Amino acid sequence: MISLLCLFFGFLHHSIHYNRIGIVFLLTLSAYNFICYQSSWAENRFKKTSFYLVFICLLLVVCLLYQEKDIRQFIHILLVGSIVIMYKSDFVKVSLRNVPLLKIFLIAFAWAYTVLWIGNEWDANDFTAFILIYLFIIGITIPFDICDMHTDAIITLPKWLGIRTSKGISCICLSLSALLFILSFYNQIDMQYVWAWVITCLSAIGMVVLMGEKDLFFFTRFWMETCSGLPVLLVVLQKIRVVLL
């Protein structure tokens, strides 16, 4: 879904780099398999398939980077890749995932950084866009922590503040993200993107408020995850409507 978020901000920036979006997709696939299955690569033949998948994805990333010929892109990937390795790794003693309360903010930083400066070529000083994505990711990630609060061994926001307060923080982050987007891109040209982002944030707030205590795994892994792809879907639907009319 992070690739679709990259595509949305590419539309917004009026400059889509499909090579970069491909790099983000491959890196995300590699990071997921590395974090989830690295410990079983040597034990389980089926899980070892994920090792080969990571290897192939990284090889394709190198090929795409060669086409880009941009050293800054390599530096950005190196930074985010270092965070992924230190987040959870069997061969690095530092495990950032085990630091209390850090997990959600680290994920938001990695996503926002990736969307703007690996998947796109935004101005390095455009902190407003970074902050609104950062707040959005925190808002849609808190429900994941609520879902995992009984299995997580570390202290997370829901464990520390409770479910109700965590939901409130999620809604505040999503509201601030929508407000920042409106203030930053409120003009006639970008209105379709403003509406797409605001509708997405409002939809996410509704999901957070209405989420119950049952079937949270499906709720977070499907509905909340879909929120990161909803903005580009709404933009595409608006473009189709304009063409048809």
Side-chain angles (χ1 to χ4, degrees):
M1 288 298 180
I2 189 174
S3 302
L4 295 179
L5 206 55
C6 290
L7 183 59
F8 173 77
F9 279 89
F11 279 132
L12 178 62
H13 202 231
H14 306 294
S15 178
I16 301 173
H17 299 271
Y18 291 105
N19 264 18
R20 287 172 171 263
I21 294 175
I23 288 172
V24 169
F25 174 78
L26 293 169
L27 288 175
T28 305
L29 192 59
S30 301
Y32 176 80
N33 279 274
F34 175 79
I35 291 172
C36 294
Y37 302 122
Q38 57 170 314
S39 59
S40 58
W41 281 347
E43 303 170 0
N44 189 309
R45 182 176 297 179
F46 174 75
K47 297 291 178 63
K48 190 176 286 188
T49 306
S50 73
F51 170 78
Y52 298 118
L53 181 61
V54 170
F55 179 77
I56 292 171
C57 286
L58 293 179
L59 194 62
L60 292 172
V61 167
V62 170
C63 294
L64 292 174
L65 279 174
Y66 179 77
Q67 292 182 358
E68 288 284 313
K69 293 182 171 64
D70 188 350
I71 188 63
R72 293 173 303 174
Q73 183 81 338
F74 175 75
I75 294 171
H76 293 321
I77 291 174
L78 196 62
L79 173 62
V80 176
S82 300
I83 293 174
V84 170
I85 292 173
M86 289 189 293
Y87 179 76
K88 185 182 179 184
S89 175
D90 291 342
F91 54 85
V92 176
K93 292 183 179 180
V94 178
S95 180
L96 297 177
R97 192 185 189 281
N98 294 330
V99 178
L101 303 175
L102 181 63
K103 181 177 73 169
I104 191 171
F105 303 106
L106 200 61
I107 292 172
F109 174 84
W111 271 58
Y113 194 97
T114 298
V115 168
L116 292 181
W117 297 305
I118 296 180
N120 290 287
E121 285 185 299
W122 281 63
D123 192 330
N125 297 318
D126 200 338
F127 293 111
T128 304
F130 178 85
I131 292 171
L132 69 88
I133 298 173
Y134 185 82
L135 290 170
F136 176 77
I137 299 302
I138 288 177
I140 66 172
T141 306
I142 286 177
F144 286 81
D145 276 354
I146 293 174
C147 175
D148 299 335
M149 66 181 296
H150 297 300
T151 57
D152 265 331
I154 60 171
I155 297 176
T156 57
L157 279 179
K159 277 189 172 184
W160 185 43
L161 299 174
I163 293 177
R164 185 174 181 179
T165 304
S166 298
K167 282 186 175 184
I169 293 173
S170 175
C171 293
I172 290 171
C173 287
L174 291 166
S175 300
L176 289 175
S177 179
L179 180 61
L180 277 175
F181 202 101
I182 292 171
L183 295 176
S184 301
F185 304 106
Y186 189 81
N187 59 62
Q188 193 61 37
I189 297 176
D190 295 328
M191 276 305 297
Q192 59 179 324
Y193 306 108
V194 172
W195 280 115
W197 192 260
V198 170
I199 290 172
T200 299
C201 288
L202 291 176
S203 300
I205 290 171
M207 292 180 195
V208 171
V209 171
L210 296 175
M211 70 181 291
E213 297 182 1
K214 296 182 179 180
D215 300 321
L216 288 181
F217 185 86
F218 174 78
F219 179 85
T220 53
R221 270 64 180 181
F222 182 78
W223 291 111
M224 295 309 301
E225 191 76 37
T226 303
C227 288
S228 55
L230 185 57
V232 73
L233 175 62
L234 293 172
V235 168
V236 169
L237 290 175
Q238 290 183 70
K239 290 181 181 293
I240 292 174
R241 182 181 66 83
V242 170
V243 171
L244 293 178
L245 294 179

